[in-house]
Amino acid sequence: MTEDVGRSDGGWFGHPRQLARLFTTEMWERFGYYGMRALLTLYLTKHFLFTDSQATGLYGGYTALVYLTPLIGGLLADQFLGSKRAIKFGALVMAAGYFMLAFGGSPAKPYATINGQRYEVVVDNFVDRPSSRPDEARSVVIDNQKLQIRGNDDGTISLLNGGQEARRLPKGSFESGAERNPLTITIMLIALSLISVGNGFFKPNISTVVGSLYATGDRRRDSGFTIFYMGINLGSVGGQLFCPLLADWFGWWAGLSLAGFGMLISYGLVQFDRGLLKDYGNRPDHAPNRDILIYIGAAVAVPVLVFLFQNLMNSQPAEAGSGFIGYLASLSLMGKLLFGTFIIAVPGILVWSYAKGTRQEAQMMTAAMILIVFNVFFWTLFEQAGSSLTLFADRNTDRSVFGLFTLSAPQTQNFNPLFIVLLAPVLSALWLRLAKRGLEPSIPIKFAIALMGVGAGFLLLVFGAQFAGAGNNYQVGLWWLAGLYLIHSLAELCISPVGLSMITKLSIARIVGLMMGVWFLSISVAQYVAGVVAQFASVDTVGGQVTNLKNSLETYTGTFSTIAWIAIGAGVVLFLLSWPLKKWMHGVD
């Protein structure tokens, strides 16, 4: 029935015409999501004046929920709502979140505490935008005298009067802070919660509708999802280009509102589909109408997520010497839930597999679980793009493009989707040619290459940082950052396209859905850990501005070097495990 409808419409590049509508719908949704994501970390550090640690932790918690909520949204659509109704509801909820996020109120007011005494901080030439003015300067007001703040290499702070040092503060005696409006903070957290809930309904279900366009065994299915994936990347490029552009021209509200308008366009494409989707994504046969209860449940989920965000923001680091147990105890409630579920699910499912499945099924499940664990390593480091790498681009990167124009820090995230669009066909053709010769790497080896690749990308950036001295204000050339994204994009293409396919092939048939849930849970855990890792790259700021660019460069390169070697080490371990894993996979390619 569904396939006949698709073919009767005349087709779209050899595919059902409905694919064009879904392609465009997903493109505009990703436009909004990635446009907002590009701005979020800088919005938190520059408008709300959160510390790096607070901002990256909150960012990690948000992206973790973005990958966790689809598990619930997909289940509710399968059992009650139907995919199409879930998509429309999710789109409206996300649009409301974006527009609410745009209402940031007045920027936070910075202050400084010196030896327990609080003083006003004045920002000269301040603009409340993603890109700061080069002549912005922070000064502390002491006895009605403005003293400019400058961080020194040894951690001390110099207070300058007319360019001359009037006072030097010992390391640790100067602390920056900010006065924030509690109402605007609450609005911001509600907005993030709405986006997380809406994403849970939208994200899994539009992919389900794409799959329903093709009958079982239709060879166009993989090609159709490849085209659909291009829509994701085109939306990503557009969002990360235009949302930061409007934010720089008019203010944060403009960039974030543009993300909301993108989401409304996505909703309109499904709501006013001219009958194209009338036979797709409808309520399951004989399913009871529980729409009102589900919508009420979604509304109740918002304050629950707000509570989780607040708990995350108020969590304190573990005391020195408390060990791994102390670290786990210090995790936020969100972290405990994610880690607890993952740590219980992985061994629990394996025990069930050995008890209920055949020896071959148990071995295949073991291989799948090992790859899922290594998947956490990859996405933890890859997802530094929206947090620590964005802050690095803002502070320690010369973003000039051949002297013609300058990219904003959020726009540098566009390197990844651009490289994906350019390189995906190349890598696909390479795997095909190697497969014909019997040389295509196995799935574990592709995962290992991805891990070593994400590490190599960071090492390339660290290598480029050695050329960033005082003469160029401790800023790394843009092309070193682009090189990192090039290598990371190649690594992503080695792991992302094969992950879900691997799960479906290795899982015991009756728990494939559960294993899909564990796969997305692993990415959610990785997003949370990515926020934790980014906190290690936190640097001292006053009013959102770094006090010493040399120290910030050393902090970033030190953190990037550490995680690079961890990734390469994990890749080597997986490479050595690839031979027993391939045996346990029993012919799955």
Side-chain angles (χ1 to χ4, degrees), residues 450-471:
L451 280 164
M452 289 186 277
V454 77
F458 281 113
L459 288 183
L460 177 70
L461 186 61
V462 171
F463 176 77
Q466 69 177 317
F467 304 108

Side-chain angles (χ1 to χ4, degrees), residues 132-162:
S132 303
R133 287 178 50 168
D135 57 350
E136 270 192 23
R138 270 71 176 164
S139 301
V140 61
V141 180
I142 301 177
D143 297 330
N144 296 320
Q145 187 178 37
K146 285 174 56 177
L147 301 175
Q148 189 172 342
I149 304 165
R150 185 190 70 194
N152 299 315
D153 296 350
D154 60 1
T156 61
I157 298 290
S158 291
L159 302 181
L160 310 178
N161 185 7

Side-chain angles (χ1 to χ4, degrees), residues 5-26:
V5 172
R7 288 179 174 175
S8 67
D9 286 334
W12 183 65
F13 295 107
H15 291 268
R17 285 185 60 196
Q18 290 79 4
L19 181 63
R21 177 63 55 131
L22 297 171
F23 169 96
T24 312
T25 301
E26 177 73 353

